[in-house]
């Protein structure tokens, strides 16, 4: 009996594409339920604007330079737009030149990370520790002392002046 190479490759190819979809930019539904703040999709839609929902709950990315928080230079705290958890102090904010609000360190116990995608598109996703909402990504090209660049979506946060 001969199994055609094409049919085997076809099955493998479908698996590969499925894997990419699973680890792609949209958030896995399986993650829901293990966070302190857990809302239904309907509740999230009621609580958030469409732009906030797209980033926080669907993992999309705002247009570079579109958020006023990128140009926010006052002293204060940036909190999660989903649940209000304080995420970053203005003291760790810097101008990365990317058009997205950037920080070199989150507040203690504020965010969690998760590896996403495959080489050469592998990235580290950042989400809120309390509600699991997508915030942005972290890269290793930040300033001292951490060398990290937490590249955040401004629409995913609210600024509370000190
Ligand atoms: Fe949150």
């Amino acid at each position: 009996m001969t199994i055609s190479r094409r049919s085997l490759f076809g099955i493998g190819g479908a698996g590969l594409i499925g894997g990419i979809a699973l680890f792609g930019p949209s958030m896995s539904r399986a993650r829901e339920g293990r966070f302190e703040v857990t809302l239904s999709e309907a509740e999230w839609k009621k609580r958030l604007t469409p732009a906030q929902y797209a980033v926080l709950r669907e993992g999309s990315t705002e247009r570079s330079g579109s958020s006023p928080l990128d140009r926010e230079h006052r002293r204060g705290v940036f909190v999660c737009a989903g649940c209000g958890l304080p995420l970053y102090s203005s003291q760790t904010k810097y101008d990365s030149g990317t058009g997205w609000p950037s920080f070199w360190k989150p507040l203690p116990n504020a965010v969690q990370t998760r590896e996403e995608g495959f080489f050469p598109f592998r990235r580290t996703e950042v989400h809120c520790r309390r509600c699991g909402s997508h915030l942005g990504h972290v890269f290793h090209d930040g300033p001292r002392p951490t060398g990290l660049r937490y590249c955040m979506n401004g629409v995913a946060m609210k600024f509370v002046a000190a």
Side-chain angles (χ1 to χ4, degrees):
M1 193 178 114
T2 311
I3 299 170
S4 88
R5 278 175 177 274
R6 186 176 295 172
S7 69
L8 278 178
F9 183 75
I11 292 164
L16 183 63
I17 289 163
I20 288 169
L22 189 63
F23 292 99
S26 73
M27 289 171 60
S28 164
R29 300 293 175 208
R31 291 175 53 207
E32 287 171 14
R34 60 183 180 85
F35 293 98
E36 201 177 307
V37 171
T38 303
L39 302 180
S40 69
E41 289 311 301
E43 287 168 328
W44 279 120
K45 280 185 176 154
K46 204 187 293 178
R47 179 184 288 207
L48 304 172
T49 67
Q52 288 173 328
Y53 185 87
V55 171
L56 289 165
R57 306 308 305 170
E58 296 181 318
S60 71
T61 299
E62 71 187 12
R63 192 167 43 80
S64 169
S66 66
S67 172
L69 292 200
D70 185 42
R71 298 171 292 279
E72 177 59 70
H73 298 299
R74 289 174 291 170
R75 274 184 49 214
V77 174
F78 296 81
V79 308
C80 175
C83 74
L85 182 71
L87 301 173
Y88 298 93
S89 162
S90 59
Q91 292 176 26
T92 61
K93 190 175 191 288
Y94 74 102
D95 184 6
S96 63
T98 60
W100 288 287
S102 302
F103 304 83
W104 48 265
K105 192 175 78 173
L107 289 169
N109 199 25
V111 305
Q112 294 174 344
T113 60
R114 182 181 65 112
E115 296 306 306
E116 121 188 329
F118 295 103
F119 178 84
F121 303 108
R122 195 162 180 81
R123 292 189 298 181
T124 305
E125 187 262 355
V126 178
H127 55 269
C128 172
R129 184 267 300 165
R130 186 159 69 180
C131 74
S133 291
H134 171 75
L135 303 170
H137 293 87
V138 58
F139 303 95
H140 289 270
D141 56 7
R144 290 156 67 88
T146 61
L148 297 173
R149 170 171 60 98
Y150 286 83
C151 184
M152 298 292 101
N153 288 280
V155 75
M157 305 184 293
K158 286 176 183 168
F159 178 68
V160 181

